C-alpha cells in the first residue's frame, strides 16, 4: 500500500472493516448531490456477478491489460462499487481504491476477501497520497461527473509515476454517431434533467421504467439483428447494442446512471485528447471499441521543463 500523507478526517468502522475518510468540510472539486446519488446507486447495484464484471471489464481494459503486472501499483480514482478494482486485483500488486460516496463502504464489505485492495473515502482533488506514487491510475466514468474536469484530471496525473499510465473513460459527445443518434440523446438528456431532480424513490422507479420500456426493447432488437446476421456488425449501429452481451442488471444500473445523475458532461474524442495532452501525458491511444471514449496515456519519464 501507499502510505497516507495526511491524517484521516474520520475513521469508519464498517461491519468490521476500517475505512479512512478524507472528506473535509470544504466542497472540494465535487458535486455533493451527484456523489450522494451515486452512494445510493451503488448500494442498489453492488452485486454484479464475476461473469458480468468480466464481460464489461474486458471491454474497458482492451487497450490497457498489457500495462498491468504483479509489480503494478494502482489507483482506482472514483471506484464506485469497486468492480474494476475487483476485475484487475489478481493481475496487479495492490490497489488504492478511492471514492467520496457511501459506495466505498459497500465495496469494502463486498470485496473484503480481496487482500490487495485498500478502500479509502476521498475525492480526486484531495488524494491522501504523495505525488508520483502509482504505476497505473484508472478513472472510469468519473471525470464527467466532476465540476472541474480538467483540474481533477491534473490532480490524478500528479499521482502517476514518471513512465506510468492512465486509463480514462469519459462519456462521449456522440461525435462518431449520426444525426438520429444525437437527436435521441437530446431527448434523453431532457428526461435526465427532469428525473435527476426527483426524490430518490421516484428517481429509481422512473429509471427502472425506462430500463424496461426503452432499454429492454432496444437491446432485444440489437440481439435479434445479431442473431439474424451473425457475421455482420450491423447490430452495433443500433442504439444500446452495447448491452447485447450483458446482463439486464447492467442496463438497469446504467439507466440509473444516465438518467438519475444531476451532473453529467460529454466530451468529443478531440477534446479528451487535448485534455490528456494539456495535462502533460503523451502516447495517447483511444480504443476503437465501446464504451466510447476510453483511452490510455503515458506520463513522460522526464519532465520536459527540467
Ligand atoms: C459512474 S460512477 C463510476 C464508478 C466506477 N468507476 C465504475 O465504473 O463502476 C462515478 C463515480 O465517481 C465518483 N465521484 C464523483 N465525484 C468524485 C470526485 N470528486 N472524486 C472522486 N470520485 C468522484 C462517484 O461517487 C461515483 O462512484
Amino acid at each position: 500500500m501507499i502510505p497516507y500523507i495526511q491524517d484521516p478526517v474520520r475513521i469508519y468502522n464498517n461491519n468490521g472493516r476500517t475505512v479512512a475518510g478524507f472528506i473535509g468540510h470544504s466542497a472540494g472539486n465535487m458535486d455533493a448531490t451527484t456523489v450522494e446519488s451515486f452512494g445510493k446507486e451503488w448500494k442498489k447495484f453492488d452485486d454484479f456477478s464475476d461473469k458480468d464484471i468480466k464481460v464489461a471489464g474486458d471491454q474497458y481494459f482492451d487497450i490497457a491489460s498489457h500495462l498491468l503486472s504483479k509489480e503494478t501499483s494502482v489507483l482506482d480514482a472514483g471506484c464506485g462499487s469497486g468492480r474494476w478494482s475487483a476485475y484487475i486485483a489478481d493481475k496487479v500488486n495492490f490497489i488504492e481504491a478511492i471514492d467520496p460516496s457511501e459506495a466505498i463502504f459497500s465495496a469494502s464489505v463486498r470485496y473484503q476477501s480481496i487482500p490487495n485492495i485498500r478502500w479509502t473515502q476521498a475525492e480526486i482533488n484531495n488524494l491522501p497520497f504523495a505525488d508520483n506514487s502509482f504505476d497505473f491510475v484508472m478513472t472510469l466514468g468519473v471525470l464527467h461527473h466532476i465540476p472541474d474536469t480538467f483540474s481533477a484530471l491534473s490532480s490524478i496525473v500528479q499521482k502517476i509515476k514518471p513512465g506510468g499510465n492512465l486509463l480514462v473513460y469519459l462519456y462521449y459527445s456522440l461525435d462518431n454517431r449520426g444525426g438520429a443518434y444525437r437527436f435521441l440523446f437530446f431527448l434523453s438528456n431532457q428526461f435526465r434533467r427532469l428525473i435527476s431532480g426527483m426524490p430518490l424513490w421516484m428517481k429509481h422507479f422512473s429509471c427502472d421504467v425506462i430500463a424496461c420500456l426503452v432499454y429492454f426493447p432496444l437491446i432485444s432488437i440489437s440481439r435479434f439483428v445479431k442473431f439474424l446476421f451473425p457475421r455482420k456488425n450491423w447490430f452495433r449501429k443500433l442504439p444500446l447494442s452495447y448491452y447485447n452481451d450483458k446482463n439486464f442488471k447492467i442496463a438497469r444500473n446504467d439507466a440509473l446512471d444516465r438518467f438519475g445523475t444531476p451532473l453529467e458532461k460529454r466530451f468529443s474524442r478531440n477534446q479528451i485528447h487535448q485534455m490528456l495532452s494539456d495535462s502533460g501525458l503523451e502516447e495517447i491511444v483511444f480504443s476503437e471499441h465501446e464504451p466510447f471514449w476510453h483511452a490510455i496515456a503515458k506520463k513522460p519519464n522526464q519532465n520536459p521543463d527540467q
Side-chain angles (χ1 to χ4, degrees):
M1 302 290 151
I2 301 285
Y4 292 138
I5 54 166
Q6 312 165 13
D7 289 332
V9 174
R10 214 172 142 181
I11 301 279
Y12 297 90
N13 194 329
N14 181 41
N15 287 343
R17 306 286 300 168
T18 300
V19 174
F22 291 88
I23 303 294
H25 297 296
S26 75
N29 185 13
M30 98 185 172
D31 183 73
T33 323
T34 297
V35 167
E36 192 189 342
S37 173
F38 276 119
K40 307 282 184 273
E41 173 177 329
W42 295 122
K43 267 190 183 167
K44 180 171 172 181
F45 293 105
D46 70 341
D47 61 343
F48 297 108
S49 71
D50 292 348
K51 183 171 167 251
D52 293 340
I53 292 178
K54 177 160 172 24
V55 171
D58 286 351
Q59 293 177 325
Y60 278 99
F61 286 84
D62 58 346
I63 46 172
S65 52
H66 68 286
L67 301 171
L68 306 177
S69 77
K70 284 289 185 190
E71 274 76 56
T72 311
S73 51
V74 178
L75 171 66
D76 182 357
C79 62
S81 65
R83 54 188 168 167
W84 309 133
S85 283
Y87 172 78
I88 61 167
D90 65 351
K91 304 175 182 75
V92 301
N93 187 358
F94 65 85
I95 303 168
E96 297 285 357
I98 72 100
D99 199 284
S101 76
E102 288 176 18
I104 202 75
F105 305 119
S106 328
S108 74
V109 172
R110 167 87 174 85
Y111 295 116
Q112 59 184 301
S113 60
I114 305 180
N116 61 340
I117 308 177
R118 178 168 62 172
W119 308 94
T120 301
Q121 191 190 40
E123 67 115 346
I124 232 164
N125 275 68
N126 184 22
L127 294 166
F129 309 109
D131 290 351
N132 305 318
S133 289
F134 295 93
D135 300 305
F136 183 84
V137 173
M138 58 188 189
T139 187
L140 301 175
V142 178
L143 299 181
H144 45 237
H145 296 302
I146 293 186
D148 186 339
T149 296
F150 183 70
S151 161
L153 174 65
S154 305
S155 169
I156 47 176
V157 168
Q158 283 176 351
K159 305 301 168 192
I160 306 175
K161 286 180 189 168
N165 294 279
L166 173 76
L167 171 65
V168 63
Y169 161 56
L170 277 157
Y171 285 166
Y172 72 143
S173 57
L174 291 95
D175 41 323
N176 58 346
R177 304 286 195 187
Y181 240 100
R182 290 182 200 205
F183 180 66
L184 277 180
F185 170 69
F186 169 78
L187 283 184
S188 70
N189 206 31
Q190 307 314 309
F191 278 104
R192 181 184 66 77
R193 286 169 198 272
L194 182 75
I195 293 170
S196 63
M198 289 176 171
L200 188 69
W201 71 266
M202 211 189 283
K203 178 158 86 174
H204 282 223
F205 177 73
S206 306
C207 293
D208 271 345
V209 170
I210 291 176
C212 293
L213 298 187
V214 181
Y215 277 57
F216 186 72
L218 287 172
I219 297 166
S220 303
I221 291 171
S222 83
R223 283 183 181 151
F224 189 56
V225 172
K226 188 180 177 188
F227 171 75
L228 288 181
F229 307 102
R231 298 197 184 164
K232 306 279 183 195
N233 260 345
W234 292 338
F235 73 99
R236 292 212 179 276
K237 297 201 181 307
L238 299 171
L240 304 181
S241 62
Y242 170 71
Y243 300 101
N244 83 86
D245 56 353
K246 298 188 178 63
N247 190 312
F248 185 56
K249 190 161 197 183
I250 296 205
R252 278 180 63 213
N253 177 193
D254 283 3
L256 181 55
D257 217 279
R258 197 51 43 87
F259 290 93
T261 308
L263 176 64
E264 175 197 293
K265 305 186 225 171
R266 285 178 175 263
F267 298 88
S268 68
R269 181 174 175 148
N270 286 345
Q271 286 172 317
I272 297 170
H273 196 288
Q274 189 67 51
M275 279 196 296
L276 292 172
S277 134
D278 288 350
S279 69
L281 299 177
E282 57 185 27
E283 298 183 31
I284 300 164
V285 177
F286 279 80
S287 173
E288 299 305 329
H289 302 286
E290 290 181 278
F292 299 124
W293 293 111
H294 64 288
I296 50 171
K298 183 173 176 178
K299 187 164 176 177
N301 277 311
Q302 290 287 322
N303 183 339
D305 296 330
Q306 282 177 349

